[in-house]
């Protein structure tokens, strides 16, 4: 996938670059980011350096992950990160974190919605999954505002610091955003009729 830039009314989203290292490092020192996401904990400068210099460019080049730096306007401060992770053919997951000082202003919802639309229209995702450790209500609220439908609890659904933890899972389909899906969708008949 060719690295791309997205714009919303208030935000510019573009792949992380090496000059983002200081802001990534500062944001990921936040105990909430370390508690609720899969960033390393404790978070060290080397983690931020590897992320912007290796992880991000490799993900885009190898079509395994598409991480976006979310900025308040062109050249504005980093307010969040949103990434689409490719887990295999037709398996896409979205993840995100917000910079502490910029939470509660709707930036995360706006950015996640923009990246979801892009994943459906440009990447060709059929379904976009969201997962968060059970109890991460902030992430869940964002996902629900975007239109993700909660599908349940996965027991031991994620590994964090060597411990299996339960996680919530939700999914978004193109039709949830008013987009035409790449494939027709035939939902299961759960009425019990045969």
């Amino acid at each position: 996938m060719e690295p791309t830039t997205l714009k919303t009314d208030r935000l510019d989203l573009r792949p992380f670059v090496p000059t983002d290292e200081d802001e990534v490092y500062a944001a990921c020192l936040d105990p909430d980011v370390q508690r609720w996401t899969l960033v390393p904990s404790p978070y060290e400068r080397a983690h931020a350096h590897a992320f912007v210099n290796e992880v991000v460019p490799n993900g885009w080049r190898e079509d395994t992950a598409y991480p976006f730096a979310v900025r308040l306007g062109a050249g504005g401060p980093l307010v969040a990160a949103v990434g689409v992770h490719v887990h295999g053919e037709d398996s896409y997951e979205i993840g995100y974190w917000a910079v502490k000082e910029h939470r509660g202003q709707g930036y995360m919802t706006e950015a996640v919605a923009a990246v979801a639309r892009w994943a459906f229209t440009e990447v060709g995702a059929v379904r976009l999954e969201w997962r968060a450790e059970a109890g991460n209500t902030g992430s869940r609220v964002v996902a629900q505002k975007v239109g993700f439908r909660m599908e349940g609890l996965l027991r031991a659904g994620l590994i964090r610091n060597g411990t299996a933890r339960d996680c919530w899972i939700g999914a978004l389909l193109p039709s949830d955003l008013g987009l035409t899906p790449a494939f027709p969708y035939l939902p299961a008949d759960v009425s019990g009729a045969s």
Side-chain angles (χ1 to χ4, degrees):
M1 174 66 66
E2 195 64 35
T4 191
T5 299
L6 307 174
K7 292 186 183 300
T8 69
D9 289 341
R10 303 181 293 170
L11 306 171
D12 280 15
L13 295 82
R14 60 153 173 78
F16 284 92
V17 295
T19 55
D20 296 326
E21 181 179 327
D22 290 342
E23 287 175 290
V24 169
Y25 178 65
C28 291
L29 289 178
D30 176 9
D32 287 334
V33 170
Q34 291 183 38
R35 166 65 180 91
W36 292 113
T37 72
L38 297 178
V39 303
S41 181
Y43 199 81
E44 299 173 1
R45 172 65 74 170
H47 295 125
H49 182 81
F51 179 72
V52 299
N53 288 286
E54 297 166 25
V55 174
V56 171
N58 291 346
W60 281 92
R61 183 175 46 258
E62 297 165 6
D63 287 320
T64 56
Y66 311 115
F68 288 92
V70 181
R71 295 195 166 277
L72 190 55
L78 180 70
V79 298
V82 180
V84 173
H85 308 277
V86 182
H87 295 300
E89 188 175 339
D90 299 327
S91 180
Y92 301 89
E93 181 180 346
I94 197 162
Y96 44 87
W97 51 256
V99 175
K100 184 176 186 172
E101 297 77 22
H102 298 287
R103 292 182 191 142
Q105 299 177 52
Y107 300 140
M108 194 79 270
T109 302
E110 190 175 324
V112 170
V115 172
R117 285 183 172 282
W118 172 81
F120 291 132
T121 60
E122 300 299 321
V123 178
V126 173
R127 167 188 164 94
L128 191 57
E129 289 188 354
W130 160 88
R131 295 178 187 215
E133 184 176 338
N136 188 348
T137 55
S139 183
R140 185 178 178 134
V141 166
V142 167
Q144 288 176 309
K145 284 181 179 179
V146 171
F148 282 80
R149 293 190 188 176
M150 296 302 114
E151 296 181 334
L153 177 79
L154 298 177
R155 296 181 312 141
L158 64 85
I159 307 297
R160 176 95 172 99
N161 291 335
T163 303
R165 299 169 188 252
D166 293 345
C167 72
W168 291 324
I169 185 168
L172 189 69
L173 303 180
S175 57
D176 296 331
L177 298 177
L179 300 171
T180 302
F183 296 98
Y185 170 47
L186 180 61
D189 179 3
V190 294
S191 67
S194 29

